Amino acid sequence: MTTPASPTVYTIAPGRPFLDLLARGILRQHGADPLQLSRVTVLLPTRRACRALAEAFLRQGDGKALLLPTIRPLGDVDEDELDLRGIGETGDDALPFGTLERSLLLARLVMASPLAGGDSANALRLARELGHLLDTAATEEVGLERLPDLVPAELAGHWQQTLDFLQVIRENWPAIKAEQGRSDSAEHRQRATQRWIEHWQTSPPGDPVIAAGSTGTIPATARLLKLIARLPQGSLVLPGLDRLLDDVAWSAAHDEPTHPQHALARLLDTLGILRAEVLDWPGDGTPNARSALLTAALLPPAETHRWRELRDDMAAGDALTGLQRIDAPGPREEALAIALAMRETLETPGRTAALITPDRMLARRVAAELARYDILVDDSAGQPLLQMAPAVFLRLLATAVAENFAPVALLALLKHPFCRLGMPREELLRWTRDVEIALLRKSRPLTGLAALAADLARTPKLLPPLARLSTIAQPLIDDTQATDLKTLLQVQVIAAEALTVAPDQPSPLWQHDAGEALHGLVVDLLAAADQFGTVTPAEWPRLLDALLEGQVVRPRRQLHPRLSIWGLLEARLQQADRIILGGLNEGTWPPQAKEDPWLSRPMRQALGLSAPEFRLGQTAHDFVQAASGSDVILTRAAKVDGTPTVPARWLLRLEALLENDARWKATAAPQYLAWAEQFDTPVHSLRVDPPRPSPPVAARPRRLPVTDIETWVRDPYAIYAKRILGLRRLDLPELPPDARLRGNVIHTVLEKFQERYRDALPDEATAIAELLDLGRTEFGGWLQRPDIAALWWPRFERAMRWFHSYERTRRTEGFRTVLLEQNGALEIAAPAGIFTLTATADRIDHNHAKNSLTILDYKTGRPPSEKEVNSGLAPQLALEAAIAQVGGFKDLPSKYIEALIYIRLTGGEEPGTANVIESKPNAREKIPPAEELAQQTLDRLKHWVGEFDKESIAYLSRPRPRFVKYPGDYDHLARVAERAEGSGEDT
């Protein structure tokens, strides 16, 4: 073999169309003979770059038929091709583990240690990171044999525990691989690459070999590049080698992992050449002014003191020509502005645009915004399978089983678009709605299919679908113990298929791109499941989520030919007329350095592994390559999820370098944000007038409870919706414990206690014990919840002790309870006929000495103030008194009303209070006594009824908003929020 005196290394400057120039240069060198071109081998970093180079050859060939070179990705070493060339006969026939197979095997080892905490999902995630560590060590050619050299005294306790486990892996993992005849994928790839190197060293290829676009960050790849550069017909083409850095800055970049030229500087060391020896690729021009600007802005930290002198150099030239910036308020505005900028590109025939971003959420937002123009552009990095419909259905089924088909989990499963239950979709939805309203929207809904079936026995027509569901789910319900992963997965998949089949329709579970991706994962999982241990149905939902994480779906549909969305890896060596760099915030681009759960920074350093920041240099190189184009837009969001963000360090450096430069300020492109703001702004705004329903008098209610009178006064529209339209608020499924539950419990406990002891109270210990026993009965299963036991129950105890003390005092004062939760009524003569007022009084006490009544009401929240009661805004107790005055409650011993009392029971610092509404002196007026207050309130009600017996009087929504204390159940129907927007009205 004849070795050149020096390697043949070229570079193509940043901002230049790398693949087009590469194709043009290859055609100039080897395109004269079509057969000669086909003997050329071109090695590129990624598969996407390989496809793009083939397209570049077609562009450069003016559409002529070409026998293209052999184009292969550098990291894809074909085992069969090695064998065909006689390179594979080395005795190393161990096939690499599949990613899923190895993760399950490692997860089983992690589960056997205390590190996973007994959580299989956590074990799988740790196993993935452990696999990444093994691959990193193999890729960087660092042996784990150095683990014992780490000084235990310098490590925290948990790191020592981790180190002990890694020692076990170091000792046992090679034996496990040997036993199964397998190898790690990175180890396999590294060995295969090394075999290529050894083969070409002894038998160099006789045809041209060109390696292009790689920065040689992997040691084995760097050695291969070195060999190719020294082959007789080999050459290396580097992407964006910076010739503008002086020697001092270049030396600093060599030692700074976050600098964009760091990887190339190390590669040149491996190649054994100086930067000056690198040639310009034929046809490539000099770096543009943008490249010079970025070189200055991204100087190594030790050299940034030179910015002052560099600003003068930046004053001239056109470095900022073609550069625009969008600083959006939030991600939504950023995405819409990007979509508009991409759509603007299409106005020029033939122009292309691409969004480059590592922010997958931003990519999805932009794709959704472009879809409003019927433009289909998918994120080339793919969509998470975890969020796709087939995977979501499997997750919902797993959750429903784990939660014993609790209401929320059951409804989520039944309402998923894939669920059929052997019925047409419309029929299933109708059945689901009926079951939901009848059984599942209760304060304490039923749980479990058996309980639902028992309750549905009264409605036979609803039973058949539930029976089908029970039959399908029975194997899942029966399998409550830990079982092997394969069996559990098979049972879940069989049930999922049965749930998604409809008459004459196949299951949609495995259809389209997402279904095929899920099917592939399930097949791989079934094949590798033996490597994992046992799983319980309770932990299966979390484990399933962990298995789905990282899986992506790349749709195979016809996409727009001129617009693209690329991730950082997909964008390397790609080109477009307009490049948009999105998500330029710290933590997104550049991404936050990921911490290793297995090795701390000192441990990685001691082992000789690269620091987590090493990736930042590569992302900086990606940024420079993309930002050096002729038409570039830089975008970021000032806030994400309401939290202020920090601009990417490269933006901050550009701003610091170009401070007070009017041209930098002029790069702001507010027109896109202005267009985005106008995009959803209607041409004409329609005024939302408040509703004014005026139903016929005959349709208006002639009977209302006193609790509705307050609502009628404050918000008449709520009465219209409730009593005339017959609308009722549905409880949420699995309604969490709230103030209503607490109030119902206290009311029931006090009613039962008072009923038992109307005449005389037991001793204090007995009374409190009985109150607490009643409380335990009424709270029931809720006391099993830690928040109820820790917060509500102590308050309940304090409230009951206060109540007993208060009640004993009242008994000594001569009061005796004569009425509990009793119904009463009062008829009012009105223009449209008799209006009946009804009430259910919490409690009425009688004082024998005074022959008077006291109307009492229990409150667990804030009771009405005296002012509200006397003004008629809180008429409940006064109207109950009015009913008592006319004998509306049966068997009352008196009609004289002495007082109205609200008993507030909170159990807080002040466990309870008795708020008495009675005659008190007032500076402006004398508040009437209880009887007069009752009569005045009744008179107001008569007038109110008379007014609403006029058809011209409408049921207005919140006519006096300041008197409405809480959001109403019907505010959305009255469009309260829309009317309040911009008006300052309190909603």
Side-chain angles (χ1 to χ4, degrees), residues 278-356:
V278 178
L279 307 173
D280 288 326
W281 179 253
D284 185 24
T286 58
N288 58 27
R290 182 79 50 71
S291 299
L293 171 64
L294 294 172
T295 295
L298 273 62
L299 280 172
E303 300 299 315
T304 53
H305 65 276
R306 297 160 50 190
W307 277 352
R308 289 186 178 180
E309 60 189 67
L310 291 173
R311 285 193 187 100
D312 297 334
D313 298 335
M314 296 296 109
D318 56 353
L320 296 176
T321 301
L323 180 67
Q324 299 182 84
R325 292 181 296 116
I326 299 175
D327 293 301
R332 188 189 71 82
E333 293 85 355
E334 181 185 13
L336 182 51
I338 291 172
L340 291 170
M342 297 178 76
R343 176 64 182 81
E344 180 188 36
T345 308
L346 299 182
E347 295 299 306
T348 303
R351 276 181 63 83
T352 60
L355 166 64
I356 303 175

Side-chain angles (χ1 to χ4, degrees), residues 378-625:
D378 280 330
D379 181 4
S380 65
Q383 302 291 326
L385 178 59
L386 188 74
Q387 300 174 7
M388 305 298 277
V392 169
F393 185 80
L394 271 189
R395 294 168 62 201
L396 290 175
L397 176 59
T399 301
V401 174
E403 297 182 4
N404 190 25
F405 293 92
V408 170
L410 176 60
L411 288 174
L413 180 68
L414 293 173
K415 292 184 179 183
H416 188 281
F418 281 9
C419 193
R420 295 292 189 272
L421 206 57
M423 299 185 287
R425 178 67 180 160
E426 297 77 9
E427 185 179 338
L428 173 64
L429 290 177
R430 283 194 296 270
W431 176 80
T432 302
R433 180 197 60 193
D434 293 340
V435 172
E436 178 180 0
I437 294 175
L439 301 180
L440 302 181
R441 286 186 176 267
K442 297 181 177 179
S443 58
R444 300 189 185 187
L446 299 171
T447 296
L449 298 181
L452 288 176
D455 209 41
L456 277 181
R458 298 189 300 269
T459 315
K461 68 177 183 179
L462 296 179
L463 277 174
L466 184 62
R468 287 196 293 273
L469 176 60
S470 299
T471 301
I472 295 170
Q474 198 59 48
L476 303 173
I477 297 173
D478 293 341
D479 190 12
T480 58
Q481 303 301 317
T483 184
D484 63 276
L485 178 59
K486 177 181 286 188
T487 301
L488 178 61
L489 181 61
Q490 287 174 334
V491 172
Q492 295 268 340
V493 168
I494 291 172
E497 290 180 331
L499 286 170
T500 54
V501 170
D504 303 323
Q505 291 183 355
S507 169
L509 200 60
W510 315 118
Q511 296 179 5
H512 308 299
D513 297 320
E516 291 180 13
L518 180 62
H519 183 270
L521 176 63
V522 170
V523 170
D524 292 343
L525 188 55
L526 288 172
D530 293 337
Q531 305 285 10
F532 199 72
T534 58
V535 184
T536 63
E539 63 181 329
W540 170 239
R542 297 192 307 277
L543 178 59
L544 178 60
D545 285 352
L547 288 166
L548 291 167
E549 287 173 2
Q551 305 291 328
V552 297
V553 179
R554 291 182 172 87
R556 293 172 298 180
R557 55 184 178 181
Q558 186 66 35
L559 303 178
H560 200 281
R562 292 164 55 195
L563 300 181
S564 305
I565 300 176
W566 297 325
L568 299 189
L569 182 62
E570 292 78 17
R572 288 173 189 167
L573 307 185
Q574 298 276 46
Q575 63 193 58
D577 296 317
R578 166 170 281 180
I579 294 292
I580 302 172
L581 308 185
L584 285 169
N585 284 324
E586 283 293 311
T588 302
W589 190 3
Q592 187 174 2
K594 186 178 181 181
E595 296 296 335
D596 189 341
W598 290 104
L599 293 176
S600 65
R601 289 172 181 265
M603 293 167 71
R604 291 181 66 92
Q605 185 177 7
L607 283 174
L609 294 172
S610 60
E613 288 80 9
F614 181 77
R615 284 186 57 210
L616 297 182
Q618 186 62 61
T619 58
H621 187 267
D622 294 333
F623 172 79
V624 171
Q625 289 288 96

Side-chain angles (χ1 to χ4, degrees), residues 352-373:
T352 60
L355 166 64
I356 303 175
T357 180
D359 187 344
R360 305 273 61 82
M361 181 59 71
L362 176 63
R364 290 194 288 273
R365 283 178 180 269
V366 172
E369 295 293 353
L370 286 170
R372 298 165 76 171
Y373 288 106

Side-chain angles (χ1 to χ4, degrees), residues 86-296:
I87 304 173
E89 300 170 0
T90 64
D92 179 17
D93 297 323
L95 294 175
F97 281 113
T99 302
L100 180 60
E101 182 183 16
R102 185 181 67 172
S103 295
L104 292 176
L105 180 55
L106 289 173
R108 188 171 186 175
L109 299 177
V110 176
M111 278 292 290
S113 75
L115 299 173
D119 187 337
S120 58
N122 188 37
L124 180 61
R125 293 185 177 98
L126 286 173
R128 284 204 185 102
E129 294 296 335
L130 180 57
H132 178 69
L133 172 61
L134 294 172
D135 286 343
T136 300
T139 298
E140 299 186 17
E141 300 177 357
V142 173
L144 296 181
E145 294 78 12
R146 301 181 187 179
L147 281 173
D149 299 334
L150 299 179
V151 183
E154 296 179 357
L155 301 176
H158 68 283
W159 285 120
Q160 183 59 55
Q161 188 181 43
T162 303
L163 181 59
D164 293 340
F165 176 76
L166 290 177
Q167 296 261 34
V168 174
I169 291 294
R170 179 183 68 85
E171 296 167 359
N172 296 333
W173 184 240
I176 294 173
K177 291 190 293 184
E179 179 184 349
Q180 300 203 14
R182 310 297 287 277
S183 64
D184 291 315
S185 57
E187 177 186 33
H188 177 79
R189 185 168 54 249
Q190 190 268 349
R191 289 176 180 173
T193 302
Q194 186 60 36
R195 281 150 58 188
W196 266 111
I197 294 172
E198 293 171 357
H199 173 69
W200 275 354
Q201 284 176 335
T202 57
S203 303
D207 295 320
V209 178
I210 301 171
S214 175
T215 56
T217 54
I218 299 175
T221 302
R223 292 196 299 273
L224 178 60
L225 296 178
K226 178 179 180 180
L227 174 63
I228 292 172
R230 293 179 180 273
L231 290 173
Q233 295 193 69
S235 57
L236 178 60
V237 186
L238 302 179
L241 180 67
D242 195 338
R243 298 185 180 280
L244 301 176
L245 278 176
D246 58 33
D247 292 340
V248 175
W250 177 259
S251 178
H254 182 279
D255 300 325
E256 175 54 53
T258 62
H259 194 276
Q261 294 293 305
H262 174 72
L264 289 175
R266 291 179 56 182
L267 178 59
L268 292 186
D269 283 351
T270 301
L271 298 176
I273 66 172
L274 300 175
R275 185 173 43 143
E277 298 178 72
V278 178
L279 307 173
D280 288 326
W281 179 253
D284 185 24
T286 58
N288 58 27
R290 182 79 50 71
S291 299
L293 171 64
L294 294 172
T295 295

Side-chain angles (χ1 to χ4, degrees), residues 902-914:
Y902 283 105
I903 298 178
R904 186 187 187 195
L905 296 160
T906 64
E909 292 183 6
E910 190 177 19
T913 57

